Amino acid sequence: MLPYAPSSVAVARQRLSAELSNAGLIASAVDDVVLIMSELLSNALRHAHPLPSGQLKVAWLCSDTQVEVAVSDGGACTEPRAGRPTLSSLGGRGLGIVEYLAERWGVRHEEEATTVWAVVPASWPPRNGHHELSETPVLREVG
C-alpha cells in the first residue's frame, strides 16, 4: 500500500527495480517492467480515486517465465484504455506504452477496487543453458 501521492511512483520504481535486479532479471527487462508499473501508477494517480483506505496498492509476481505488475485504485468514471494521441498531444501515451511493452494487459474490477495489470516475459541470463528461480514465485506488495 502506498500513499495516493506522486512521490509513490519513485518509491515503487526503486523497490521493484531493486528486487528484480537482485533476482537476476536482465537489465532491459527490469527497465520495461519498471516503466510499465510507473505508467500504471501514474495513470491511477491522474485518472482514478484512491482505495477506501486513501491509498493505492502496487504488487508484482515474478516467475521463471513472466513478471506481472498490478496497480489497484478506487476506480474512475472511465475504463482504462490505450489512447491514440496526436503527435502534438501532451499526454495520453501511457497505456499505449504498456500495450507495446507488455505481452498482455487488462483491467479487473473487484468490490471496491479497480486493478490494472500487465504481464511481461521474464528475461534471465543463461546459466548452463537455463535459468531456475531459487524460490517459489511470490506476490510482492509495496508498503
Side-chain angles (χ1 to χ4, degrees):
M1 301 300 283
L2 290 171
Y4 185 79
S7 60
S8 293
V9 178
V11 171
R13 284 179 65 94
Q14 182 178 8
R15 176 115 181 250
L16 177 59
S17 179
E19 186 165 317
L20 295 179
S21 295
N22 289 339
L25 199 67
I26 65 169
S28 61
V30 171
D31 292 344
D32 287 351
V33 173
V34 170
L35 177 57
I36 288 170
M37 186 276 310
S38 295
E39 292 296 339
L40 298 181
L41 189 51
S42 295
N43 283 350
L45 288 164
R46 176 172 288 164
H47 302 291
H49 302 286
L51 293 165
S53 66
Q55 299 174 303
L56 297 169
K57 180 178 176 182
V58 178
W60 56 86
L61 178 67
C62 186
S63 73
D64 270 341
T65 59
Q66 65 185 30
V67 179
E68 180 177 343
V69 292
V71 174
S72 300
D73 57 50
C77 297
T78 59
E79 182 77 6
R81 62 179 172 80
R84 303 287 179 244
T86 64
L87 291 175
S88 62
S89 296
L90 297 177
R93 292 175 179 79
L95 286 178
I97 292 169
V98 171
E99 194 170 75
Y100 179 77
L101 293 175
E103 190 172 85
R104 62 189 183 278
W105 72 278
V107 181
R108 287 190 302 265
H109 296 283
E110 293 128 349
E111 253 182 62
E112 295 182 322
T114 297
T115 300
V116 182
W117 56 269
V119 174
V120 179
S123 298
W124 304 97
R127 277 196 232 164
N128 300 329
H130 69 284
H131 173 81
E132 293 180 19
L133 283 177
S134 59
E135 60 181 78
T136 305
V138 176
L139 178 67
R140 303 288 189 198
E141 295 181 6
V142 177

